[in-house]
Amino acid sequence: MAQYANIIIDISHEKLDKTFQYKIPEAMQDQLQVGVRVLIPFGKGNRAMTGYVVEITDVAEYDPEKMKEIKKIDTEGIAIESQLIALAAWIRKNYGATMNQALKTVIPIKEKTSEKIYRQVKLTLSTEEAADQLCQYEKKHSTARIRLLQALMEHPVIDYEVVTRKLNVTAAVIRTMTEQGVVKVESMRSYRNPVKPEQAGTYVKVLNPLQQQAVDTITANAAGEKKPCLIHGVTGSGKTEVYMELIAEAISQGKQCIVLIPEIALTYQTVMRFYSRFGDRISIMNSKLSAGERYDQFERAKRGDVDVMIGPRSALFTPFPNLGYIIIDEEHENSYKSETMPRYHAREVAIERAKMCGATVVLGSATPSVDSFYKADRGEYLMISMPERVEKRPMPVCHIVDLRQELAAQNYSVLSRKLYELMEERLEKKEQIMLFLNRRGMAGFVSCRACGHVMKCPHCDVSLSAHNNGKLVCHYCGYEQSNVKICPECGSKYIGGFKAGTQKIQEMVQKTFPKARILRMDADTTKSKDSYEQILSAFANEEADILIGTQMIVKGHDFPKVTLVGVLAADLSLGVPDYRAAERTFQLLTQAAGRAGRGTHEGEVVIQTYQPEHYSIICAAAQDYGGFYEQEIFYRQMMHYPPVWHMLSVLVASPWEETAEEVSRSMTESVLETHPKLLLVGPAEATVSKIKDMYRRVFYIRHQDYEKLVEIKDELEFFLDQCSAKNISVQFDFNPMNGF
Ligand code: ADP
Ligand code: ZN
Ligand code: ZN
């Protein structure tokens, strides 16, 4: 059987998709794998060149008679590239994508970029002068200046971007302080880490017994079995210190580490803690880097200039040659799942990469994903519990307010009586308030305001969505019914969706508290560049009393003056037509509650809901993960949802509605023909049924074995290759997190 190999020659080139096909000599067929480095004759003169195998195939792209043979397998030193290409192949196979898409995900493209200028903010005053200046700023209550000056008194040099993005100090403030001779901004052509090696190591804490135990367990495991570890530790239990200790140990053994932290949670404090501990041996990535900048960072890592890469999802592919740990903080975060093809999950890819190179994955969260907890519970992951806060700071007091009773008491406001009362009190005391609208997506579910009953699909146990045509539709299976006018549970006529957006709520709250200064943060107010940072900075500067926002406001930033958090309608995320709705709600509410009382004042939380008896709400209010998990996993088990089963969702999109309909239908028919007993639902209209003039149909397949779903994905790809329909685009999503 003739076999051919597709080979790339310059793997960091812009034209990553330029592959060359070669024949595989008989003797080589057993050894050749994707990722292997080979020597090939190239060009007219048959110059020997190095290349990497990216695909092995039986399909000849041109006349096999004219095809050259691979000369030799190059075994000298395992190149990190080989590992990453093999990882790309694994991604391609397990998530569905072209090899080119997978390679582009894994390997950064070298691009000609204009030279980047790096800037740093430096303190120009002596310690005493700075202390004097601080007093003056304090007299004037210039909070932003105070914040920057205090930071500089601890770290005399800070990256400009860290100051603006993480410390939320605006360019105008920096300019004023420059004019006052307090700071100066320095520009440089090549990046210099602000923390000099000799200053590093100043930040080391003696671990408490729980932390030490976590470190010991993980290092013992890393030296032996190398199971992925899950640290389940409440916020403030000292997980970050555990990560840093693990990293320090790995570095002392000549290894490198990758730390994934969702961008929004990578705050100034966290950045500085890593800087102070590891000095210029760390590098921090953000998603705003251009391809060229990302390439540069990866080159530094490959050269051995740094030992630790911290960043969002894509930092996972840092080409460290001798990886010790891949740490994933806030592992439950949705941002770890790619929303473009290949739709990979960073956690799963990290585990695969670690397997390939003998590294260990460490996951951490206060609210672990049901997925990870399930695996830890079954022994696939090593579970480590850190149930106590370091300083034994108390958790906030949580009130659940039953909105049905507000209605019964003829309170039609968005603020319950309890929330109103507490807000009034906080405004009087000049403490800050966050109001949180956990709206997600655009799906409008329908529920009863008198009894809280949510209209659900009888087959899928997820909420039905109201459509403009007056129908209620299930986006999993396509089930339809006419909209209800009277609640089937209690007969009430108060049926409706939650329509009020953040803007409407701002108006209503302003009317209720005319003197309060209110800021709003949502998709509308954060459209322009840096507006997100500006709003947070204004709130941190106490330029407002109340911050109203979507889930954007829940993460990251610490506002010590916030002593009250109000969740306006917990049902908003609970009603989302998605089997993960309860999990998401539990996580959001637990995290939102954690926003209150970060400072010295104790915090209070009010959760308003029509379903006060729902376990995700009760358990979040009680900070009871175990209780939540037990009920959630029961539901997943019963309904055959992940993580107990696996789910493949397939999106078929076309500019013609009939084509989308026909192709998705024939795809499901062909699957069911080969696998008659398969649990397949749909096709149905996607949650968003049309985007950019493309009609979208989606269907779902569930199975106990992930492998089986991969097999079916391959069959569907084959089916599409044979399919004559034009203008269709198909996407696969395994164990979807956001749905189509
Ligand atoms: P987590 O990552 O679990 O939220 P952190 O590691 O950020 O927790 O720790 C919470 C706070 O407690 C931080 O301010 C940290 O500096 C402090 N802390 C953590 N471990 C110790 C320790 N062993 N001794 C003193 N303070 C600690
Ligand atoms: Zn009702
Ligand atoms: Zn259904």
Side-chain angles (χ1 to χ4, degrees):
M1 189 172 58
Q3 283 210 344
Y4 313 103
N6 295 336
I7 290 168
I8 43 171
I9 292 181
D10 185 356
I11 58 163
S12 64
H13 200 268
E14 278 160 80
K15 293 200 186 86
L16 204 56
D17 42 350
K18 186 73 191 144
T19 60
F20 302 89
Q21 202 167 50
Y22 285 80
K23 258 194 270 194
I24 305 172
E26 282 262 342
M28 237 180 247
Q29 286 199 346
D30 292 342
Q31 296 151 277
L32 213 67
Q33 289 170 15
V34 170
V36 164
R37 193 167 49 178
V38 290
L39 284 177
I40 43 169
F42 192 74
K44 286 224 175 70
N46 282 335
R47 243 171 343 122
M49 296 264 288
T50 304
Y52 292 91
V53 177
V54 295
E55 223 161 356
I56 293 173
T57 170
D58 291 327
V59 185
E61 278 168 7
Y62 60 98
D63 185 1
E65 292 297 308
K66 293 187 182 147
M67 208 182 287
K68 293 174 200 166
E69 276 196 344
I70 296 173
K71 226 185 209 160
K72 196 176 154 218
I73 292 182
D74 183 358
T75 48
E76 236 158 88
I78 299 295
I80 180 68
E81 282 79 5
S82 295
Q83 198 191 98
L84 290 170
I85 292 170
L87 192 62
W90 184 88
I91 289 174
R92 195 207 71 73
K93 173 171 169 286
N94 281 280
Y95 297 101
T98 63
M99 188 59 191
N100 187 235
Q101 284 171 321
L103 280 172
K104 280 192 168 145
T105 304
V106 167
I107 294 169
I109 311 268
K110 192 174 181 175
E111 240 182 14
K112 286 193 199 78
T113 43
S114 55
E115 201 176 15
K116 162 131 180 138
I117 301 292
Y118 298 92
R119 286 183 294 173
Q120 289 176 342
V121 181
K122 244 185 185 165
L123 181 65
T124 50
L125 304 179
S126 69
T127 315
E128 281 135 44
E129 288 167 336
D132 276 352
Q133 188 65 50
L134 190 63
C135 283
Q136 286 181 35
Y137 285 158
E138 273 165 357
K139 271 185 214 138
K140 290 191 195 140
H141 303 285
S142 324
T143 43
R145 293 179 214 179
I146 293 172
R147 206 163 54 244
L148 177 53
L149 186 53
Q150 275 175 339
L152 284 168
M153 286 165 81
E154 261 179 56
H155 304 276
V157 187
I158 305 176
D159 286 347
Y160 192 92
E161 283 200 352
V162 172
V163 172
T164 52
R165 292 243 157 81
K166 302 293 179 199
L167 207 48
N168 298 323
V169 172
T170 58
V173 169
I174 300 173
R175 225 163 18 242
T176 315
M177 290 173 74
T178 310
E179 280 156 18
Q180 293 174 338
V182 178
V183 302
K184 74 175 175 205
V185 177
E186 276 187 3
S187 303
M188 64 210 86
R189 280 179 197 288
S190 68
Y191 181 73
R192 240 181 284 138
N193 194 298
V195 178
K196 299 283 160 287
E198 60 272 16
Q199 290 169 307
T202 49
Y203 181 98
V204 180
K205 290 217 149 70
V206 181
L207 298 185
N208 69 30
L210 265 180
Q211 288 171 315
Q212 192 57 52
Q213 202 183 336
V215 169
D216 293 345
T217 311
I218 294 170
T219 42
N221 168 67
E225 214 182 347
K226 300 191 192 339
K227 264 192 199 179
C229 304
L230 172 64
I231 306 181
H232 175 208
V234 296
T235 33
S237 57
K239 294 186 291 297
T240 310
E241 292 299 323
V242 171
Y243 304 152
M244 290 200 288
E245 194 59 34
L246 293 171
I247 293 167
E249 276 214 42
I251 292 177
S252 73
Q253 295 169 21
K255 293 182 176 172
Q256 304 90 35
C257 299
I258 294 168
V259 184
L260 302 188
I261 298 184
E263 191 145 33
I264 203 160
L266 190 57
T267 58
Y268 168 77
Q269 285 86 359
T270 311
V271 170
M272 279 322 195
R273 275 164 79 183
F274 278 97
Y275 270 158
S276 322
R277 176 96 186 237
F278 300 108
D280 63 356
R281 301 306 297 169
I282 72 164
S283 183
I284 294 182
M285 268 175 74
N286 66 59
S287 60
K288 290 189 180 111
L289 296 183
S290 68
E293 286 169 327
R294 190 172 148 221
Y295 179 84
D296 285 346
Q297 290 233 36
F298 277 10
E299 280 300 293
R300 292 176 59 215
K302 208 165 103 184
R303 277 202 308 267
D305 291 355
V306 295
D307 297 317
V308 188
M309 182 65 81
I310 302 177
R313 194 176 63 227
S314 57
L316 176 57
F317 304 111
T318 310
F320 281 132
N322 187 12
L323 200 55
Y325 288 107
I326 304 174
I327 293 164
I328 306 183
D329 192 29
E330 309 277 3
E331 66 85 32
H332 63 278
E333 272 288 309
N334 283 342
S335 59
Y336 288 129
K337 177 96 196 253
S338 167
E339 288 303 312
T340 54
M341 293 270 273
R343 293 173 171 258
Y344 70 93
H345 197 297
R347 188 199 309 131
E348 293 156 4
V349 178
I351 290 171
E352 185 60 25
R353 181 167 181 198
K355 225 188 267 169
M356 287 176 173
C357 66
T360 302
V361 173
V362 178
L363 310 167
S365 174
T367 51
S369 60
V370 168
D371 201 73
S372 294
F373 202 83
Y374 179 70
K375 290 194 172 118
D377 198 38
R378 287 159 43 109
E380 273 176 63
Y381 297 172
L382 193 63
M383 176 106 75
I384 290 141
S385 284
M386 295 178 62
E388 279 168 32
R389 283 192 165 180
V390 169
E391 289 134 342
K392 301 238 152 98
R393 206 177 270 164
M395 292 292 185
V397 180
C398 221
H399 312 273
I400 299 176
V401 170
D402 186 345
L403 286 175
R404 298 171 300 189
Q405 284 173 17
E406 297 300 307
L407 190 77
Q410 285 168 5
N411 173 17
Y412 301 103
S413 155
V414 288
L415 305 175
S416 61
R417 289 160 294 174
K418 180 80 188 172
L419 183 55
Y420 173 86
E421 180 193 311
L422 292 177
M423 282 176 75
E424 204 173 30
E425 190 192 299
R426 292 316 196 279
L427 289 171
E428 206 146 281
K429 284 200 280 189
K430 302 236 177 304
E431 291 171 3
Q432 287 181 305
I433 301 161
M434 281 168 104
L435 295 182
F436 171 51
L437 195 70
N438 47 326
R439 177 182 289 293
R440 221 196 108 237
M442 28 194 89
F445 67 99
V446 172
S447 64
C448 169
R449 294 191 62 182
C451 78
H453 177 73
V454 178
M455 311 308 149
K456 285 192 168 175
C457 172
H459 311 295
C460 306
D461 203 14
V462 298
S463 317
L464 295 169
S465 302
H467 273 214
N468 292 337
N469 60 11
K471 290 249 158 81
L472 294 179
V473 180
C474 171
H475 286 302
Y476 278 3
C477 70
Y479 167 87
E480 263 188 28
Q481 66 173 60
S482 50
N483 204 343
V484 287
K485 300 223 156 53
I486 287 178
C487 173
E489 279 297 302
C490 74
S492 157
K493 280 182 277 186
Y494 279 102
I495 298 278
F498 289 89
K499 291 278 151 48
T502 36
Q503 189 177 354
K504 197 74 170 289
I505 284 170
Q506 179 177 14
E507 285 162 21
M508 291 191 272
V509 173
Q510 190 72 74
K511 223 182 248 167
T512 315
F513 299 105
K515 282 200 206 124
R517 297 163 304 161
I518 303 177
L519 275 173
R520 172 165 61 96
M521 189 152 91
D522 56 23
D524 286 337
T525 61
T526 52
K527 271 194 192 121
S528 69
K529 191 176 166 271
D530 289 343
S531 49
Y532 173 78
E533 279 81 14
Q534 276 159 18
I535 295 171
L536 290 177
S537 127
F539 192 58
N541 289 349
E542 294 171 49
E543 285 163 28
D545 310 300
I546 303 173
L547 177 63
I548 299 177
T550 51
Q551 40 265 42
M552 288 181 195
I553 67 174
V554 178
K555 291 286 151 55
H557 304 264
D558 267 348
F559 300 109
K561 275 279 175 80
V562 171
T563 58
L564 177 63
V565 170
V567 179
L568 294 174
D571 313 71
L572 282 180
S573 54
L574 205 48
V576 168
D578 175 351
Y579 72 90
R580 297 174 75 254
E583 173 176 1
R584 198 89 46 104
T585 302
F586 175 80
Q587 286 161 353
L588 282 171
L589 295 183
T590 311
Q591 305 267 352
R595 293 286 99 198
R598 293 269 173 148
T600 43
H601 303 278
E602 221 170 276
E604 259 178 297
V605 182
V606 176
I607 299 175
Q608 306 189 150
T609 174
Y610 289 100
Q611 301 173 69
E613 65 288 333
H614 196 280
Y615 61 92
S616 68
I617 292 172
I618 295 175
C619 294
Q623 304 268 336
D624 176 13
Y625 185 89
F628 163 75
Y629 175 79
E630 222 168 87
Q631 306 205 42
E632 183 63 18
I633 204 71
F634 179 72
Y635 159 72
R636 305 285 179 94
Q637 191 117 39
M638 218 169 60
M639 297 301 298
H640 301 314
Y641 283 129
V644 185
W645 281 42
H646 295 282
M647 185 157 163
L648 166 63
S649 77
V650 183
L651 175 81
V652 181
S654 167
W656 297 294
E657 190 160 16
E658 310 82 74
T659 311
E661 180 65 33
E662 269 162 36
V663 173
S664 57
R665 216 157 267 296
S666 52
M667 283 170 85
T668 53
E669 277 158 15
S670 99
V671 169
L672 285 173
E673 210 168 284
T674 9
H675 312 272
K677 289 208 191 108
L678 202 65
L679 184 49
L680 184 151
V681 291
E685 276 185 15
T687 321
V688 189
S689 59
K690 190 177 164 191
I691 294 180
K692 292 187 181 141
D693 292 321
M694 296 282 274
Y695 291 89
R696 294 148 55 91
R697 291 287 187 279
V698 63
F699 61 91
Y700 299 87
I701 304 168
R702 278 174 276 165
H703 203 277
Q704 290 108 311
D705 302 325
Y706 194 96
E707 288 304 312
K708 189 75 184 172
L709 292 180
V710 170
E711 202 179 289
I712 290 168
K713 182 259 306 171
D714 291 343
E715 288 168 15
L716 284 171
E717 277 178 339
F718 183 75
F719 176 87
L720 287 167
D721 277 345
Q722 316 292 311
C723 173
S724 57
K726 295 237 156 40
N727 269 314
I728 47 168
S729 112
V730 172
Q731 294 197 33
F732 298 100
D733 195 353
F734 285 86
N735 292 338
M737 293 185 78
N738 287 319
F740 287 114

